[in-house]
Each structure stands twice: as C-alpha cells, then as structure tokens.
Amino acid sequence: MPAYDPDPKMKFTFGLWTIANPGRDPFGGPTRETISPVDVANILGEAGAYGINFHDNDLIPIDASPAQADTIKKDFKKALKQNGLVVPMATTNLFSDPVFKDGAFTSNNAKIRAYAIQKTMRAMDLGAEFGAKIYVFWGGREGAESDATKNPIDAIKRFREAINFLCNYSIEQKYGYKFAFEAKPNEPRGHIYFAVTGSYLALIPTLDYPDMCGVNPEFAHETMAGLNFVHHVAQALEMKKLFHIDLNDQEMGRYDQDFRFGSVSYKAAFHLVKLLEDYNYNGPRHFDSHAYRQSDYQDVKEFAKGSMRTYMILKEKAAKWNADKEIQALRNEINLGDPNLEKLTKKYNSGNAKKLLEAPLDRTDLANARLPYERLDQLTAEVILGTR
Ligand code: GCO
Ligand code: MN
Ligand code: MN
C-alpha cells in the first residue's frame, strides 16, 4: 500500500489566509482562535507541505509599524526555515480595506487606483524578500453591482494600465516575477470583471509584457458558474499560460465554498489531476480552501494533510487509468485516425482544399462508428472507486 505522502515535487502550498482562517462567515463570527503566521508554519511543517503563500496583510497587518513589521518578518523567516517551507507565491490584499469598496485598479477614483498600485509595489517588495517568483492578481473588488456605476470598457483599460506599470516595476527591480491572474465570476462583487479564466487569456496578448503573464485558475470559481473547470485549465495549459493553480472544491450554483480539494466532486478532481499530470504541469499546486467552520486546529491540520493525500491518491489513479489495457483499447477504438485526410486538413492550400472537396465522406457510414462511451465511463468510475 503506497503511503501517499506529499511529494515535494508536487509543490503543495497553502495560504496563510487559509490555514489561519478562524471560521468567520457572513452570518457569524470566528469559531477558532486567532493564530499567528508562525503557528501556520508549524501546522504546515507537521503536515508535510512544501510552502506557504500570503497576501501582504496576512503577514503584516495593514496598520503595523515598521518595527512591528520587522519583528513579524524575522519570526516568520525563522519558522519557515525550521519547518523547511518556502514562499513560492505572493499577492496583495486589494479587497478587505474599505478604501477598495468600489475596486482597486478599476476604481473610479484616480487616487484609489494609484494607492492600489502603490500597495501592490510594496507587497511585491515583501514577496520578493521571501523569494516569491509568482505574483497572483485576484481582482476581488474589481467589478460592479450596477453597470450605471462604472464603465466596463474603462475598467479593462485601467486594469491593463496597472498591470503594465507593475510589470515594469518587477522588471526594473529584477524580481523575476511571473504574474498569474485569477478569475472569479462574482462574490464579493455582484459581478467581477474578467469573470472566467478565458477572459484573462484573452487580455494577456494585449498587455505590454504578455510573456510575463499567465493565469491562476481556481476550481471553485468556474464551478460556481456551472462551467467545466477542467476545460478552462486545459486551455491555459495548451497556451503555456498555467503559471499557478488554486485547488479546492465546490458545489455548482452556490456561494464560493472553498471546500477541501476532492471533498465534493471526485470525478472532476480526478480529471483535473490527470490533466495536470499528463501534461507535466510543474508549477505550485496551491490549496486555496478552508477547513469546515466546525473544525479545531487539530482538524485543520487533518484538512491540510487530506488535501495533499487526495491529490497523491488521484495521481496514482490517473496513472492506473493510463496503464489500463481495456481503457487504452477503448481509447484506440474511439480515436479514429486517417493519415491521408489528416495531412489534407493540417494546413490550408488550394490543392488540399480541392482534394478535400472531392474526398468521399459518407455521413451515414461515419455515423455508424461505435462509441462505447458508457463502458469507458464505467471503467473510469471503477478506477476512481478502487475496484480496478
Ligand atoms: C477567493 C479567492 C481568493 C484568492 C486569494 C489570492 O476564494 O475568493 O480565490 O482566495 O485566491 O485572495 O489572491
Ligand atoms: Mn474561492
Ligand atoms: Mn483563489
């Protein structure tokens, strides 16, 4: 029986904000006591994680004095070292403070937009101090409840301008950051701009430094909107734009639940892990999820261990699926090649077009090809359920 221990090569990370989440929700206050960044490092060290990510204010409270900030940083660095943890990603809190109530980079107020950029520059300095190489942008407050309040075209232009500015800052400071944009359809705003991962994939080629920029899709976010998360990740992977990923779980059509990875949709989680492993994704696998509000910190540690363990189990299942003779035979049966036709359609030229128009393709005949998808899906289910 394999141990399913977290493999450092998987780069399993958690957020300071996730492990230290005290169980607050919109209807009730904290159910767990407040813990420090050092406590989080100790929990994650014991759980066997690879790293910790943070927003600027997860580590340094927004109103901390420079002396307090120094002490916090010193203590946290020590705890990271003791627990063998790294900080691969950093980000900015551009959503909690009332100043961002109507957006940060897309605010209607030029001073607030400038403040958001300034706060991000400082947060980038902080991340770099801890060795972070990925910088996440989640525009939690970039949106609107009423389109009477903000021009959505201006919002796109303002967002682009801020990112171009910050790319230049990173380059000038030699931070070597890769930027990763995280989409979400709504919550906390009624509507958030750049609602799905594909929105950012479309924005990136319009930026000044498209090579520096990619995406950080989150399982819960496309799923909330009833979309297929795996397909969004596939598009990012195919475009070589998957710089980071937020793993969690979510029921469709609900609020942003941020459940433990693999706790709801085993099948979607399986296909996601299989996609990441088949295509050798080698960025961090970040769990952006929260333990149940009922849990104490001992149970939060179980939540962290469980997230990584489920990934390792599904990784093994994906390898089983790939090695399964019957599954592979079915895959060969349904993927019908035709070297001559494929050569014709690979590249357009008038000769190929003429040949294609003349090709004898009988639709009634073609429709008769067998597609035993019930069998294939059942075999997939059995691999996941452990009977194969
Ligand atoms: C959410 C978001 C956030 C971001 C985080 C990093 O669940 O609403 O995913 O957790 O990922 O703020 O930018
Ligand atoms: Mn989320
Ligand atoms: Mn997230």
Side-chain angles (χ1 to χ4, degrees):
M1 182 79 174
Y4 304 116
D5 289 340
D7 177 351
K9 285 203 288 297
M10 294 291 107
K11 300 180 188 152
F12 289 132
T13 62
F14 293 81
L16 265 187
W17 70 97
T18 65
I19 298 298
N21 179 326
R24 196 181 291 113
D25 75 9
F27 299 92
T31 55
R32 296 184 276 268
E33 68 275 24
T34 306
I35 58 170
S36 70
V38 170
D39 297 328
V40 174
N42 292 337
I43 291 174
L44 288 177
E46 283 166 32
Y50 170 83
I52 307 189
N53 303 318
F54 55 76
H55 303 84
D56 48 356
N57 304 134
D58 300 336
L59 186 63
I60 318 281
I62 197 161
D63 51 4
S65 70
Q68 283 166 332
D70 280 347
T71 313
I72 295 169
K73 286 195 275 187
K74 220 177 83 217
D75 293 347
F76 189 53
K77 277 182 191 158
K78 205 169 121 199
L80 287 171
K81 209 167 159 214
Q82 275 170 355
N83 288 288
L85 293 160
V86 294
V87 176
M89 178 275 259
T91 182
T92 327
N93 186 328
L94 296 173
F95 43 89
S96 293
D97 196 87
V99 68
F100 300 124
K101 63 182 177 230
D102 194 29
F105 301 148
T106 68
S107 164
N108 279 331
N109 183 332
K111 285 203 172 76
I112 295 178
R113 296 201 294 278
Y115 172 65
I117 296 174
Q118 181 195 69
K119 188 173 193 286
T120 304
M121 289 161 76
R122 290 181 177 147
M124 284 167 69
D125 299 344
L126 178 68
E129 198 182 323
F130 283 85
K133 289 288 172 211
I134 297 167
Y135 207 85
V136 163
F137 291 83
W138 172 61
R141 299 280 174 195
E142 314 291 13
E145 286 67 44
S146 160
D147 287 327
T149 66
K150 240 192 253 180
N151 179 331
I153 298 268
D154 284 349
I156 296 168
K157 292 188 189 308
R158 288 167 180 169
F159 189 87
R160 180 187 293 118
E161 203 175 278
I163 296 301
N164 286 339
F165 190 95
L166 292 164
C167 278
N168 277 296
Y169 183 67
S170 174
I171 293 166
E172 202 174 86
Q173 299 299 314
K174 301 197 168 48
Y175 286 157
Y177 278 127
K178 291 269 192 190
F179 288 6
F181 305 117
E182 178 177 347
K184 187 173 180 181
N186 57 270
E187 201 189 330
R189 296 310 299 263
H191 304 274
I192 298 181
Y193 299 130
F194 305 106
V196 291
T197 300
S199 318
Y200 280 121
L201 290 173
L203 174 78
I204 290 170
T206 75
L207 299 173
D208 285 351
Y209 298 95
D211 293 347
M212 255 178 88
C213 299
V215 291
N216 174 38
E218 172 172 319
F219 188 101
H221 296 175
E222 264 82 12
T223 307
M224 281 166 74
L227 301 173
N228 184 315
F229 181 64
V230 175
H231 294 184
H232 278 80
V233 176
Q235 193 178 1
L237 261 175
E238 203 272 340
M239 293 175 74
K240 301 197 168 35
K241 287 295 179 195
L242 188 68
F243 289 2
H244 198 266
I245 189 160
D246 280 4
L247 301 172
N248 54 17
D249 216 334
Q250 170 78 30
E251 268 153 318
M252 201 180 273
R254 306 286 168 93
Y255 64 96
D256 185 23
Q257 295 171 308
D258 288 336
F259 283 145
R260 188 183 76 256
F261 177 65
S263 61
V264 181
S265 322
Y266 302 123
K267 207 171 171 183
F270 166 80
H271 284 294
L272 178 62
V273 170
K274 185 166 137 43
L275 182 78
L276 296 176
E277 298 306 317
D278 284 354
Y279 289 88
N280 302 315
Y281 169 72
N282 68 359
R285 288 163 177 79
H286 173 72
F287 296 103
D288 193 8
S289 45
H290 304 282
Y292 298 134
R293 194 161 178 261
Q294 297 80 8
S295 300
D296 60 12
Y297 283 107
Q298 195 187 328
D299 203 34
V300 172
K301 199 193 294 169
E302 291 306 316
F303 146 92
K305 282 198 214 157
S307 307
M308 298 185 282
R309 185 175 162 85
T310 297
Y311 191 99
M312 296 305 295
I313 295 170
L314 290 174
K315 181 173 181 283
E316 187 201 62
K317 302 274 183 202
K320 266 209 174 120
W321 194 94
N322 286 335
D324 189 297
K325 296 248 158 35
E326 191 178 348
I327 291 176
Q328 284 328 306
L330 284 169
R331 297 265 294 156
N332 290 336
E333 189 182 342
I334 61 180
N335 283 288
L336 294 172
D338 187 314
N340 288 334
L341 284 173
E342 281 167 298
K343 225 170 108 194
L344 281 187
T345 52
K346 198 165 184 69
K347 200 172 160 55
Y348 185 86
N349 60 47
S350 44
N352 283 351
K354 190 162 172 283
K355 280 189 204 147
L356 181 58
L357 284 169
E358 285 161 3
L361 294 167
D362 184 283
R363 68 173 217 288
T364 324
D365 233 33
L366 294 176
N368 284 334
R370 265 200 93 218
L371 293 173
Y373 285 2
E374 288 292 353
R375 180 72 188 149
L376 181 54
D377 186 69
Q378 178 64 24
L379 292 177
T380 303
E382 300 221 3
V383 168
I384 300 169
L385 294 171
T387 49
R388 264 184 102 77

